[in-house]
Amino acid sequence: MERQLPKDRLAEALRRLYAIGELETLSHFWQGEPKILYHLYFRQNQEVNPSELSEALGVTRARITSILSSLRAKGMIHMHVSERDRRRMVVELSEKGYEKVEQECDQIRDHMQRLRSGLGDEKAEQLLSLLEQSVTLLEDGIRSRGLEPEKWP
């Protein structure tokens, strides 16, 4: 017989993780403007156009247009006509956008370093392995329902 997870402990651990705000801090990186900035950051040496952003990030073209306008106004991105296909616009991080993503990556690295320091290398590796396996299992469950998990760069 398959053993059940201790629901109360799992629920309490997830509640505490949520309560301290760390999930919110990390989830910020995978929504709206930050999501686009990260996508561009990880695709720095590739031409990225608004249509590709829409498709890759699962965001409507209208929403992409709105977010890109906001990012341009903030000086986070540049847009120019593609040299390979003059009909397409290319979206790139500006220096300011690049620095913002680097700053946020440093915050994530700090969070992870605190975990590694507190847990020790062996337990940190075990945690990472369990998280990776858990995500794979959850993604497989999503696929079994005929859906495709969101892709991340």
Side-chain angles (χ1 to χ4, degrees):
M1 180 168 184
E2 193 172 303
R3 192 170 164 203
Q4 297 273 328
L5 281 175
K7 292 178 186 175
D8 293 342
R9 283 182 57 205
L10 178 60
E12 179 59 15
L14 291 172
R15 184 204 64 76
R16 288 177 56 210
L17 190 59
Y18 178 79
I20 61 175
E22 292 305 306
L23 289 179
E24 185 176 321
T25 300
L26 292 174
S27 71
H28 146 83
F29 300 115
W30 298 296
Q31 312 177 51
E33 290 181 3
K35 187 175 187 176
I36 289 175
L37 292 175
Y38 274 85
H39 187 83
L40 294 172
Y41 179 83
F42 289 106
R43 302 258 187 306
Q44 286 178 57
N45 298 319
Q46 302 171 21
E47 280 197 1
V48 178
N49 65 53
S51 296
E52 291 167 4
L53 282 171
S54 174
E55 186 176 320
L57 302 178
V59 179
T60 66
R61 288 185 180 176
R63 181 72 180 127
I64 288 291
T65 299
S66 173
I67 293 171
L68 292 177
S69 293
S70 175
L71 289 170
R72 276 179 87 176
K74 294 175 183 177
M76 298 290 187
I77 63 167
H78 298 296
M79 294 179 71
H80 60 85
V81 175
S82 169
E83 292 178 15
R84 290 187 304 154
D85 182 348
R86 306 293 293 163
R87 297 170 295 170
R88 292 183 167 250
M89 292 298 290
V90 174
V91 184
E92 296 177 327
L93 282 178
S94 67
E95 185 64 31
K96 184 177 180 180
Y98 180 85
E99 288 171 3
K100 175 145 181 74
V101 174
E102 281 286 309
Q103 215 172 29
E104 292 181 351
C105 282
D106 287 344
Q107 287 178 335
I108 292 172
R109 282 189 280 275
D110 289 346
H111 288 313
M112 298 305 111
Q113 187 54 45
R114 276 197 300 280
L115 276 175
R116 184 173 284 282
S117 294
L119 292 173
D121 288 343
E122 185 177 332
K123 285 185 179 179
E125 287 300 322
Q126 288 173 344
L127 175 61
L128 180 57
S129 178
L130 289 169
L131 285 171
E132 290 170 342
Q133 290 173 32
S134 298
V135 170
T136 298
L137 290 169
L138 293 172
E139 287 173 339
D140 290 347
I142 291 169
R143 285 187 190 97
S144 73
R145 295 192 310 261
L147 303 171
E148 186 61 31
E150 184 179 36
K151 291 181 178 56
W152 184 247

